[in-house]
Amino acid sequence: MTAVNAPLKLPAVKNLVSEAEWRARVDLAACYRLIALYGWDDLIFTHISAKVPGTEDFLINPYGLMFHEITASSLVKVDLAGNKLMDSPFDINPAGYTIHSAVHEVRHDVGCVLHIHTSAGIAVSAQKQGLLPLSQQSLFVLASLAYHGYEGVALNHDEKARLQADLGDKNFMILPNHGLLTAFGGIADAFLGMFILQRACEIQVMAQSGGAELIHIPQQILDGARAMIAGVMKTPQGMGGALPWPALLRKLDQQMPGYDQ
């Protein structure tokens, strides 16, 4: 086996960080692996960030690793200015920094930001009407959905202010011609939110492909769902991601173990 193909080995950082940070690292690494497991990754080119508990710093993927390779120890810790706070042989994705720091700077209620480029997500993002009220899944998204127009690859830091303004207090964002984003208080909620958003996009594309006239959910039901979901989101349970999260970790332990290293 050549050095190029040798298994990646990085020093463990568990004993160098707080227990709270280690737990966040394990859950974030698990989230990356789940994105890979569900086939929502895009080689090395999307990103998920999570705040280090009790700080304004955040963890993000090492630029160059596939999502199925990411471990708790390999995650890169940076401050809001993008400075690495621990030694790492990896840099971070510059576009990822722009998007994630923009959200973390102003949304102090958000502990995790998840951004992906799936085919179904980009397909819906390229439609002028965006996400349509065609499914029960779409109800949850439409209750807290924002859009941010495409400005090219997110390398211009001036875009941050516009992204912040467009996101406002919403939890879901569709980036036209680009992809999907969720922003929630915790990692489990951000993943569950993305699962629902991605599924809503898949359903929309599949429904449209049949060519038949589509049934839209009536506005009065949309309004009622928006009020109900807004109330639920204010409870300690939030999105409810904590319910499926242990089962998702068990699935990872069976199919893609090693994230907690």
Side-chain angles (χ1 to χ4, degrees):
M1 179 179 290
T2 65
V4 171
N5 295 321
L8 182 70
K9 292 184 178 180
L10 294 172
V13 304
K14 184 175 183 178
N15 295 328
L16 303 178
V17 300
S18 68
E19 183 177 343
E21 178 176 334
W22 182 250
R23 184 67 254 171
R25 283 175 171 270
V26 170
D27 282 341
L28 183 56
C31 193
Y32 274 104
R33 299 254 184 142
L34 285 167
I35 295 298
L37 192 63
Y38 280 91
W40 303 339
D41 49 347
D42 183 18
L43 296 180
I44 63 171
F45 297 111
T46 56
H47 14 82
I48 316 166
S49 64
K51 275 190 176 179
V52 176
T55 77
E56 294 300 310
D57 308 324
F58 62 92
L59 303 163
I60 197 165
N61 52 312
Y63 200 22
L65 294 191
M66 302 283 278
F67 282 16
H68 73 275
E69 297 181 291
I70 291 177
T71 64
S73 292
S74 68
L75 292 162
V76 181
K77 180 163 60 172
V78 298
D79 61 18
L80 285 174
N83 301 306
K84 287 195 286 187
L85 301 178
M86 292 182 68
D87 288 337
S88 172
F90 295 96
D91 291 320
I92 63 172
N93 184 327
Y97 164 73
T98 300
I99 293 170
H100 291 261
S101 64
V103 178
H104 289 304
E105 279 178 6
V106 298
R107 287 289 299 275
H108 302 295
D109 60 314
V110 168
C112 180
V113 181
L114 202 169
H115 171 56
I116 60 175
H117 305 153
T118 59
S119 297
I122 297 172
V124 169
S125 82
Q127 296 178 14
K128 193 167 185 178
Q129 292 182 297
L131 186 70
L132 300 173
L134 299 178
S135 64
Q136 180 167 276
Q137 286 81 356
S138 70
L139 287 179
F140 290 91
V141 179
L142 291 168
S144 186
L145 177 62
Y147 291 86
H148 172 63
Y150 189 60
E151 299 188 24
V153 178
L155 299 176
N156 180 3
H157 289 187
D158 291 342
E159 183 180 354
K160 290 168 67 170
R162 293 183 289 276
L163 189 152
Q164 291 165 344
D166 289 338
L167 179 62
D169 63 353
K170 300 297 191 291
N171 297 110
F172 299 91
M173 175 175 270
I174 292 178
L175 299 101
N177 312 108
H178 184 176
L180 308 175
L181 183 145
T182 58
F184 281 87
I187 294 166
D189 276 354
F191 178 81
L192 179 59
M194 186 59 76
F195 184 91
I196 293 170
L197 174 55
Q198 169 66 14
R199 183 59 56 87
C201 291
E202 291 170 348
I203 291 168
Q204 179 166 321
V205 172
M206 290 180 69
Q208 292 170 324
S209 69
E213 185 176 356
L214 301 177
I215 302 171
H216 286 220
I217 295 171
Q219 186 62 47
Q220 64 189 43
I221 295 179
L222 288 173
D223 292 341
R226 183 175 291 110
M228 178 192 70
I229 293 166
V232 169
M233 289 300 296
K234 293 178 181 178
T235 68
Q237 291 75 30
M239 188 69 184
L243 292 173
W245 191 249
L248 288 165
L249 295 185
R250 291 195 298 271
K251 184 173 185 175
L252 273 185
D253 288 337
Q254 293 171 356
Q255 300 184 35
M256 202 176 284
Y259 59 91
D260 55 349
Q261 302 301 309

